[in-house]
Amino acid sequence: MSDSGRSSRGSSRRTNPSAGNRRAAGVRRASGASDAKKPAPGAASKGTSRTPKKDGGATRGAAAGGAAAAGAGSRSAASRHAAPARSGRGKGRGKVAATNFLNYPRAGKKGFWRWLPSFRLLAGAFALIVLLGLAGTVWLYKTTDVPEPSDFALAQSSRVYFSDGETEMGKFSDINRTPIANDEIPQTVKDAVVASEDATFYENRGISPKGILRALVNNLSGGARQGGSTITQQYVERYYTGTNTSYVGKVKEMFMAIKIDQELPKDEILSRYLNTIYFGRGAYGIEEASQAYFGKPASEMDESEAALLVAVIPGPSSYDPAVNEEKAQSLWARVIEREVNDTGVLTAEQADALEFPKTVEPKKQNSLGGTNGYLLDQVRTELINQGYTQDELNTGGFKIVSTVDKSVQDNTVQSIEDLGDRPENNRVGTMTLDPSSGAIRGMYGGEDYVTQSINDATQSRMQAGSIFKTFTLVAALQDGYSLYSTWDGNSPKSFPGWTVNNFNKVDYGTVSLSQATTNSINTAFAELNVEMGPTKTKEAAIELGLPETTPGLDDYASNVLGSASPTVREMAEAYATIASGGVYHSAYIVETMTNADGSKEYEHKDTAKRVLDEGVATNATVALQGPPSTGSAKALVDIMDGRPVAGKTGTSESFRSAWFVGFTPQLVTGVGMFQPNADGGEDPLTPWGDYSNITGGSYPTEIWGAIMSRSLEGQDFEDFPEAVRLDNQKAVASTTTTRTSTRTQAPRTKAPTTEAPTTEEPTTEEPTTEEPTTEEPTTEEPTTEEPTTEEPTTEEPAEEEPTTEKSTTPAEKPTTTKEPAEETTTESEGDDEAQGATTGQGTGKGTSKGSSSTGTGNGNGKGSGGGD
C-alpha cells in the first residue's frame, strides 16, 4: 500500500479517534499473522498523533511492531477489567460474590431487596432452632423429676379459709382412699379402663403422637380444648402436675409421662392410676369407689360394674347415676362397645348379656356439715360460675381465701342460737355485706348443710312485705317527689278495684313521705304508687339489684306492699346499693384462689357501677333512719347504743314472713324469717317466746341488732349525710297541684292527733339545709323542665340468676282466696308495724323453689301484700 494510502488512513484516524478506540475496546483479536498485518488502532493513533514521519517505512515498521506488542498487553488487561461491564450490557446481570457466609445483607442487591433474608440466613436460622430444640428437649428430660405419688395426693383436697387467709373454714371433700395391691384389682377394671381411655396403653411409650396432633388441630381450629392424653399422661396430670390447660404445662406433662413409662412397668402405672383417681362421692381409688357405688370391695365387682366406674371417670360429679342416670347409661354402653370393638376383651354375646348395674344411695359428705357447709357451698358455686368444674375444685389442691370475716360469722351464728328453741320448721336466713365492695362478711343459711342443703340466705324466697316500700321511696325521689311531699295517711283508702288498710285502720292524716316511711303507712304509699305509677317501683327494684325474674315482681299498684318474693341476699344487695351512695356491687364470697405451688389461679374483680343518683341515695337513707329510731324497729336505739342506723322492717300478709334489712356506713345486714310447709307454700309464722305475732320488728330486728352491735364493737360511730335538694324536685313536685282531681276518693282530711300516736317525726328527718315551705304546692311554679340526672334507667345492674322463673298467669289460683274486703290483722302490743289487706279482682301469683314462698299481686285485681 502506498504511503499516501497509509497517510490517508492515519489522517482519518486522527480526525475520528473514537472509532479506533471503540474497536480496540470491543473487539477481541486473535494472535498471529492478523495482528502483524494490522497494527493496533490505538497504537497507530498514538504514533500518528505523537511521532513525526522522518524515516518512512523503517520508522513505520518499528512503530507497527511496537504497537502490536503494546496491543497484546492492553487486551490482556482489558480482558481482566472489562468483564463485568460486558456482562452488564447483556440480557442478565452477573452475580456479585457474597461478602459473608450468611450473605446478609444480600450482595448485588439494592434497596428493599438487599435486606430480605437470604437463603443461607433462613437455612442457618432453621438449623439453629432445631439444635436449640434438641438441646432443650434433652435438658427438659434430664431435669424433669418424678415425685412420689403421695407428695401430690396429700395436696389434692382444696381448702377454704376465712378472710384472714390463715383460719381454715373447711374443705370441699373428704379424702377417702384405700390403696390395694395390683393383683387385687380385678382384671375387668383394667380391661375397661384401657378400652375406654387408652386402647394403645400397652404399646405406646407414655404419649400418643397421633392423639397429640389430633388435639392440637382441634384446639387450633376453635374446638373444645383437648389434651390427647394417654393413661400415663392422665396419671401424671392428676397426681403430679395438676390439671394443665396451657401448652407449656402439656409439654412438661409429656416429658414426665415418657420418663415414668421408662421407669415403671405398665401394670404398675395402671394400678397407681386406679388406686388414686377420683371417682366421685368422695371416693379416691377403685376400692373406695366400689364401696361408695356398690357397697362392696373392688375384688367382687363384675364386668358391668367395672364399666360403670370407668364411665364416670371423665366427670364423676356429673356422670354419677344418682345425678344423671341417662348420661351414665350412655357412657356405660360406650365403654362396653369399646371393649368389644377396640380391644376385643369382650365378645358381642358377652356384651349383650350385661345389664346396667344398680348403685347405692350416695352419702352426704361430712366436710360440708354444720353452718360452715353453706359458706363452703357458696364458695364452690361462685367458682363453678367462673368456669371451674366441681371435680377440679374437689381435687385441685387449691387454697381459697374467702371474704367471710370470722368474727362476723361467729356473731351471726351466735345470734341465731340465742333465739333458743324455735317452732318446728322455723327458718332464718341472714346476709352481711360490705357496702363498699359487695364482699360477704357473714351468712347464715341454716343449721346444717348435710341435713338441709337449701341455703335460706341465697336460695329460699319469701314475700317481701313492707321492705319493698323502699323501692317506691327511691322511685319517688327519682321522680322529683321530696321527703316533705305530703300524702293521705288515713285508713281505709280506696282505689279503682283496690282497697288498702293501715294496721288497725289507724288514721294518720296528712303525712310527709318521710313520716310515711317511718311509720310504714300503707295508704300513703299506695297513693304515692298510684300517682307515680307502679312501673317505676318495679324499675327501681331492678335498678337496685333485684332480678327481673323475681317471683311476684310486677307493675301492679299493689307491688308497693311487697307481693314479690326475693331472697335475703338480693334484698341485702339492694339496700347495700343505697348504703354505698347509689353504686351497685354484686355480692361475692371468693377473694383469691392459689394453686398448690403458690401461683395465683383466680382473683375477684370488682364490677361496681353506679345505678342511682347519689343525692337520691342520700335522701333515701335519711328517710330510712326513721324506722330504727322512732318507728317499728325503735328497739335498735338501745341495742345499737345510739349508733346511726337506717333500715326497714317488713311483715307479709298473715305473718307468712318477717324481715329487717338495714345498714350502717360500714355494714349491711338482711334478716328474713319464714315457715315453709310440705305443699311448697308458706305457713304463718308460729309465735313463741315474748311475741304473740312474729313481725319484722320482733325477732328479725333482734337478730339484726345482735349481729351488727357485736360486729361493729370498737368501731367508730359514723354519721350518715344530711338530706340534699335534688335538681328535679321543683319541676316534678308541681304535679301535686292537680292530685285532688285524679284521686278516686275524697280529698285528704287530717285526723285527730289522738288517732295517730306514732306520727311524731324524728329530728333526723328535718335537716336545716332544706326549706320545707318550698315544697307546698301553692308556692311551686309549674315548669316543663325535664330532669337529666335522676333516672339512671339505662344502666342496669348485673343480676343474680334466680332459682325459679316468675309465674303470673291469670288462670293460676292465688294463695289467699276470698279475702274479706277489708281484712286487718293484729300484732304484738307496742309494735308500730301495720299490715294491710288489699282487695279487688283478678290475680297474679309467683312461687319459688327452695323456700316455698308465694306472692300475689294486683292492679285492678285482687291480691294481697304485707305492710308494716
Side-chain angles (χ1 to χ4, degrees), residues 289-296 301 305-306 308-309 357-360:
S290 180
Q291 294 286 355
Y293 282 85
F294 308 117
K296 60 184 179 182
M301 285 195 299
E305 293 167 335
L308 176 59
L309 290 186
K358 294 181 179 180
T359 60
V360 299

Side-chain angles (χ1 to χ4, degrees), residues 24 61 86 129 134 183 206 300 311 327 453 468 494 512 644 670 702 782 831:
R86 288 197 304 272
I129 292 173
L134 291 174
D183 57 3
E300 298 179 10
K327 183 66 174 180
S453 60
F468 212 84
S494 297
S512 68
E702 286 188 10
D831 187 24

Side-chain angles (χ1 to χ4, degrees), residues 397-573:
F398 299 115
K399 177 182 179 181
I400 304 166
V401 178
S402 74
T403 63
V404 180
D405 186 301
K406 180 67 163 55
S407 62
V408 175
Q409 182 63 23
D410 289 345
N411 294 335
T412 299
V413 175
Q414 186 62 48
S415 299
I416 306 300
E417 292 179 352
D418 288 346
L419 296 177
D421 294 331
R422 290 178 285 152
E424 185 179 359
N425 212 25
N426 179 282
R427 304 263 283 270
V428 177
T430 78
M431 176 74 74
T432 299
L433 303 176
D434 181 344
S436 66
S437 64
I440 297 174
R441 299 305 184 194
M443 180 179 71
Y444 187 87
E447 294 181 5
D448 183 19
Y449 181 83
V450 173
T451 58
Q452 176 202 307
S453 60
I454 297 298
N455 189 326
D456 288 331
T458 64
Q459 294 174 294
S460 298
R461 295 184 176 274
M462 59 200 90
Q463 278 194 337
S466 282
I467 58 171
F468 212 84
K469 289 174 183 172
T470 298
F471 300 130
T472 304
L473 168 67
V474 169
L477 294 172
Q478 285 181 309
D479 212 31
Y481 299 97
S482 82
L483 296 177
Y484 300 100
S485 59
T486 54
W487 308 92
D488 188 352
N490 290 323
S491 176
K493 194 173 187 65
S494 297
F495 303 92
W498 188 31
T499 298
V500 183
N501 280 302
N502 292 331
F503 172 65
N504 281 341
K505 300 183 181 179
V506 174
D507 289 329
Y508 291 92
T510 301
V511 296
S512 68
L513 179 57
S514 180
Q515 289 175 311
T517 304
T518 297
N519 298 312
S520 196
I521 303 173
N522 294 339
T523 55
F525 267 98
E527 181 186 28
L528 168 61
N529 205 37
V530 168
E531 179 172 305
M532 176 183 63
T535 298
K536 293 180 180 178
T537 292
K538 175 183 176 181
E539 290 173 349
I542 294 171
E543 286 174 359
L544 267 64
L546 256 64
E548 292 185 61
T549 51
T550 300
L553 180 59
D554 54 40
D555 54 6
Y556 297 141
S558 62
N559 61 12
V560 65
L561 298 182
S563 56
S565 297
T567 65
V568 173
R569 168 179 172 159
E570 290 165 359
M571 291 307 298
E573 284 180 328

Side-chain angles (χ1 to χ4, degrees), residues 43 329 430 461 609 614 799:
Q329 288 183 349
T430 78
R461 295 184 176 274
K609 58 182 177 180
E614 187 174 6
E799 296 174 8

Side-chain angles (χ1 to χ4, degrees), residues 86-157:
R86 288 197 304 272
S87 64
R89 290 191 183 98
K91 185 176 182 180
R93 186 177 297 274
K95 294 183 178 179
V96 178
T99 58
N100 56 64
F101 176 75
L102 296 177
N103 188 25
Y104 192 80
R106 298 170 66 188
K109 305 295 182 182
K110 295 182 179 180
F112 169 77
W113 302 101
R114 177 175 174 78
W115 301 103
L116 282 178
S118 65
F119 175 77
R120 292 183 187 179
L121 180 63
L122 292 175
F126 178 76
L128 180 62
I129 292 173
V130 171
L131 290 175
L132 290 176
L134 291 174
T137 299
V138 173
W139 180 80
L140 282 172
Y141 183 82
K142 292 292 186 182
T143 57
T144 299
D145 296 324
V146 180
E148 291 298 320
S150 59
D151 294 342
F152 184 77
L154 291 176
Q156 279 185 336
S157 181

Side-chain angles (χ1 to χ4, degrees), residues 44-66:
S45 177
K46 288 180 180 180
T48 56
S49 63
R50 296 180 182 180
T51 308
K53 301 176 184 179
K54 295 181 179 180
D55 56 356
T59 303
R60 288 192 299 274

Side-chain angles (χ1 to χ4, degrees), residues 58 92 108 209 244 277 328 421 571 592 674 716 747 761 769 803 831 845:
N244 284 309
I277 194 170
D421 294 331
M571 291 307 298
T592 61
F674 69 106
D716 293 338
E761 192 169 335
T769 57
T803 56
D831 187 24
K845 177 182 178 182

